[in-house]
Amino acid sequence: MSKILTVGEPMALFVAEKEGPLEDVEHYSRFVAGAEVNFSIGMSRLEHQVTYISQVGLDPFGKYIKKFLEQNKIDTSLVTFESNYGTGMQWKQKVASGDPEVHSARKHSAASHMGVEKLANIKWDEFDHLHLTGIPPALSGSCRNMIYELIKEAKAKGIQISFDTNLRPGLWDSEETMAHVINDLAFQADIVLPGIDEGKLLTGKQNEREIAEFYHAAGVKTVVIKLGAKGAFTSSDGEQFYTEGYPVKKVVDTVGAGDGFAVGVVSGILEGLPIKEAVRRGTIIGALAVMSPGDNDGLPDREKLEVIAKGSVANS
């Protein structure tokens, strides 16, 4: 299996146990949040090896997160503790339908103080894939510089790069800066995974085909655009196609669906599946993610994925 490197901010997540506004909630269940955490756990459950670069506070939540990652068989040798800053935190609403309200406390967090020095101990010969999202470059100027340097070093080593745009407008000074930086980073990736609304915002284009062409014109080989419940549109090596969304029995929590989709697509590509099968796997795992309350507890292991995938083929 592949050896994957990623970087991000893991946060302590508190999910409301009852529906209603967060200010009225008294009891929460604890989880771990973070787009790259979700991706890492999903890839690890599919038996790929993942090394996670991060920085957490030297506090109970930072210690909990590191243990959680290790319990999920993720290499934390590049996760360090910072005594001067705390671990980022999130609170998430419980809802019967639609997207939940999420409140974050991550400004000046330990992770936001990461910089290029975090890359000093990377043993590049151990990796064959780098997965990035648009979140770390939004955290701070030093994080942004780190991501640019990470891409530079990965490309110099010929390592394949996937980039999930994962926009967080509230973390940026302006949408113009966000679009410029995110596109600049995406242009250097081999695989780009925007949502349809993200793609429209980033490119100014009005449909998935135009968005794909925008990234192809900059040299991106594979563009897979998430269309929500409708599925996905893929453009790669001159081939373009739509993939229907996998049916969801009951939406429990929409957060993490895109990360699950990225797990399916990237793992499929790394395992040598035809691109259509990789994207179909993405729609399956994305659907499983929305049927569970935490951001990553619905991500399947290989046995469960194979059972569901065979069933979806039989019913197609």
Side-chain angles (χ1 to χ4, degrees):
M1 289 297 178
S2 299
K3 295 184 178 181
I4 301 154
L5 182 66
T6 192
V7 56
E9 176 175 26
M11 292 180 289
L13 170 66
F14 298 91
V15 180
E17 293 187 353
K18 292 184 178 180
E19 295 178 16
L22 286 176
E23 63 265 27
D24 296 333
V25 174
E26 295 179 354
H27 301 287
Y28 294 82
S29 296
R30 186 182 65 172
F31 297 91
V32 175
E36 301 84 6
V37 168
N38 302 336
F39 177 84
S40 298
I41 289 174
M43 295 299 286
S44 178
R45 288 183 185 162
L46 296 180
E47 300 168 14
H48 292 274
Q49 296 180 33
V50 184
T51 296
Y52 189 84
I53 304 171
S54 194
Q55 191 163 271
V56 293
L58 186 59
D59 51 44
F61 301 116
K63 294 175 183 177
Y64 156 61
I65 287 169
K66 194 166 188 289
K67 286 182 180 179
F68 176 83
L69 294 173
E70 290 166 353
Q71 289 166 355
N72 280 276
K73 300 179 181 178
I74 295 166
D75 176 18
T76 61
S77 60
L78 297 178
V79 176
T80 56
F81 290 105
E82 167 58 61
S83 60
N84 294 318
Y85 305 99
T87 302
M89 301 171 68
Q90 280 190 338
W91 292 263
K92 185 164 67 174
Q93 183 184 29
K94 181 177 182 179
V95 294
S97 63
D99 295 335
E101 175 191 355
V102 179
H103 176 76
S104 300
R106 67 196 306 179
K107 191 172 184 180
H108 303 307
S109 66
S112 72
H113 287 82
M114 289 189 292
V116 293
E117 68 280 354
K118 288 291 294 181
L119 312 182
N121 296 320
I122 296 176
K123 298 177 181 177
W124 284 102
D125 293 340
E126 296 182 356
F127 302 104
D128 44 40
H129 189 87
L130 172 65
H131 179 74
L132 300 171
T133 81
I135 300 172
L139 298 177
S140 66
S142 63
C143 282
R144 194 172 309 167
N145 292 338
M146 175 185 64
I147 297 302
Y148 272 103
E149 183 63 24
L150 191 59
I151 289 178
K152 178 182 176 181
E153 294 185 17
K155 290 180 75 69
K157 293 288 185 179
I159 293 173
Q160 185 184 59
I161 302 171
S162 54
F163 187 80
D164 188 338
T165 51
N166 236 316
L167 300 185
R168 298 291 187 273
L171 297 178
W172 292 89
D173 294 335
S174 67
E175 285 192 356
E176 291 77 15
T177 300
M178 177 178 72
H180 173 75
V181 173
I182 294 296
N183 283 332
D184 196 27
L185 295 169
F187 292 162
Q188 301 178 69
D190 301 288
I191 305 161
V192 175
L193 302 156
I196 182 63
D197 291 334
E198 293 178 328
K200 290 178 179 178
L201 192 158
L202 289 168
T203 68
K205 307 300 182 181
Q206 296 305 307
N207 63 64
E208 55 270 21
R209 293 181 183 274
E210 292 179 349
I211 293 167
E213 287 305 318
F214 176 88
Y215 289 108
H216 286 320
V220 178
K221 178 182 176 183
T222 299
V223 183
V224 187
I225 300 171
K226 294 166 277 189
L227 304 176
K230 294 180 180 179
F233 172 77
T234 303
S235 182
S236 180
D237 285 338
E239 182 181 15
Q240 294 187 332
F241 59 90
Y242 287 90
T243 304
E244 289 187 3
Y246 184 77
V248 174
K249 294 178 181 178
K250 181 183 179 181
V251 176
V252 176
D253 187 342
T254 56
V255 177
D259 305 323
F261 181 82
V263 168
V265 174
V266 174
S267 67
I269 290 173
L270 290 174
E271 291 167 29
L273 294 182
I275 186 68
K276 285 188 176 181
E277 291 185 29
V279 176
R280 186 173 68 86
R281 179 187 283 188
T283 63
I284 292 172
I285 298 180
L288 293 176
V290 306
M291 290 189 269
S292 299
D295 290 6
N296 46 59
D297 49 333
L299 299 172
D301 59 19
R302 186 161 294 278
E303 181 179 2
K304 181 178 181 180
L305 175 62
E306 289 177 355
V307 169
I308 295 172
K310 287 178 182 177
S312 70
V313 170
N315 295 325
S316 62

